Amino acid sequence: MPERPKSRETGREIGREFGLPTLLPLSEHTVPARRVIFRQRDVHESVPFICSGWAATAVTLSDGSRQILSFLLPGDMVSASLLFGSTAHCSVEAVTDVHYCCFDRDDLKASLLSGPDLIEKLSRIWLERKLRAVELAVDLGRRTADERIARLILGLRDRLAARGMTQGQTMDFPLRQHHVGDATGLTAVHVSKVLSEFRRRGLIEINDRSLTILNPGEFQRVATMR
Amino acid sequence: MPERPKSRETGREIGREFGLPTLLPLSEHTVPARRVIFRQRDVHESVPFICSGWAATAVTLSDGSRQILSFLLPGDMVSASLLFGSTAHCSVEAVTDVHYCCFDRDDLKASLLSGPDLIEKLSRIWLERKLRAVELAVDLGRRTADERIARLILGLRDRLAARGMTQGQTMDFPLRQHHVGDATGLTAVHVSKVLSEFRRRGLIEINDRSLTILNPGEFQRVATMR
DNA sequence: CGGCCCTTTGACGGACGTCAAATAGCGTGG
DNA sequence: CCACGCTATTTGACGTCCGTCAAAGGGCCG
């Protein structure tokens, strides 16, 4: 068995994204790495939040190719769609071992819509997700492999840093190269070549599921070449 | 001067997306084709709706390359982001001559949040936009040029059909090949080659800013190969 | 020890971009 | 009216980026 989640920080983590008053989870779950949590067509009456671990939302095409739409980090609501509809339009897979909690949709919606304060919070979440969706489309449509991969790494770094989950230029990096490829519209083989090149240029270092940015300035430049 | 918008169907068109009670527009505007309506950094206190014509939302990178995120058709809210924030994160350009109306954000938000009915409508709009964003990412990340272009055309066909703006398999198609390229992450030159191939295969016909799907079954198959 | 997954590396191929030239259309101004 | 300038489209030759295929090695766990 792989390592277990260290603590159950449900209240605090949910607090990160919502600042919700204490709301009791309907259920809690722990799933091992690589397990599918939900399928694209699943119907839900509750809204899950990631408490620990990393997950990915993805769409799979009939030929087996896959597009990862986002990585979910501790504290993230699995899909804002689920607040209003009962289907998320995409599947969710555990990248590491994942612990998550489900809240009743109607309860959650009710407490969100109760105060103008919380509506603002909800809209901020929507705006941030929309911004990420725009960035993803621009990256996939208009950027090279180098840029896409560097931007993926920097985006994750920023989100982890906002949670206090980085140590200087070092961060957890549990993604397989296959995940990176599916998130950037590339193949795992090509991801390997690009990462090797990044290492050769002294930009980053990856050891034991941990990534360090050795040359932040230059790495940022690679991510922002256009 | 190119043709002018035939009528000012503000009320009815806004009705299409929102079913709003009559709400007076703050202002109305007419802009000629190819004109930029808003820039990425513009700050707005009002929410614009397209009354007639086609527009495009896009992000432009510093090297001049551009990613079109969506085409806006009559009745569309220009950006749902503007309901909650004062910046749309993308620019908006007129594809054809465009007539649009702006509503006061606070008025619009207030009437949307007044009834649970309208909140449901708003969330349906968010869900549809999110679904389109997901489709865009999958298309850009995982589909070939043929598929992307066929899917763009079919997506527009469906949206026009929902407005009663198609005649059988024929629809207005005011897009330049440059627009198609910017929307699909391709170059205008490659778009030309793909469209020529579509014509050679008897799939579609384009004349005078009008597009006809000659072989719907086969064209659908091209769009759904995986 | 033996699978399995992950990663790396190289050779090769294909899809799409770049560059260039030719043509057509369209609106403007003389 | 024609001349012109600009934009859009088409087509071909060629180049590049990234995918595909294959082989080999390492780490992990039964």
Side-chain angles (χ1 to χ4, degrees), chain B residues 34 175-178 188-189 192-193 196 199 209:
Chain B
R34 316 187 69 259
L175 304 182
R176 308 281 137 172
Q177 293 182 359
H178 194 262
V189 173
S192 173
K193 289 170 182 169
S196 295
R199 268 183 303 239
R209 306 297 133 198

Side-chain angles (χ1 to χ4, degrees), chain B residues 130-221:
Chain B
K130 159 141 183 162
L131 194 54
R132 290 231 308 269
V134 167
E135 289 294 322
L136 178 64
V138 173
D139 288 352
L140 293 175
R142 290 298 174 198
R143 295 190 194 271
T144 65
D146 287 16
E147 293 175 288
R148 294 185 211 177
I149 294 174
R151 294 172 70 81
L152 174 65
I153 292 170
L154 288 173
L156 289 168
R157 201 268 316 264
D158 292 346
R159 290 172 63 202
L160 288 170
R163 277 154 237 250
M165 293 174 74
T166 55
Q167 304 84 45
Q169 295 294 336
T170 299
M171 60 192 257
D172 278 355
F173 197 76
L175 304 182
R176 308 281 137 172
Q177 293 182 359
H178 194 262
H179 291 121
V180 176
D182 286 347
T184 53
L186 302 166
T187 59
V189 173
H190 198 64
V191 170
S192 173
K193 289 170 182 169
V194 171
L195 289 178
S196 295
E197 180 65 12
F198 283 171
R199 268 183 303 239
R200 201 194 55 71
R201 291 207 263 161
L203 299 179
I204 61 171
E205 186 178 69
I206 303 181
N207 289 314
D208 194 27
R209 306 297 133 198
S210 174
L211 186 153
T212 302
I213 301 175
L214 298 175
N215 187 337
E218 185 61 15
F219 195 55
Q220 184 72 45
R221 237 180 47 74

Side-chain angles (χ1 to χ4, degrees), chain B residues 55-80:
Chain B
T57 67
V59 171
T60 304
L61 303 185
S62 58
D63 72 342
S65 66
R66 205 170 63 146
Q67 179 64 49
I68 289 180
L69 301 163
S70 68
F71 291 106
L72 302 173
L73 303 180
D76 283 342
M77 179 163 46
V78 161
S79 167

Side-chain angles (χ1 to χ4, degrees), chain A residues 161-197:
Chain A
R163 279 154 236 250
M165 294 175 72
T166 55
Q167 303 84 45
Q169 294 295 335
T170 299
M171 60 193 254
D172 278 355
F173 196 76
L175 304 182
R176 308 281 135 172
Q177 293 181 1
H178 193 263
H179 290 122
V180 176
D182 285 348
T184 53
L186 302 165
T187 60
V189 173
H190 197 65
V191 170
S192 172
K193 290 170 182 170
V194 172
L195 289 179
S196 295
E197 180 65 13

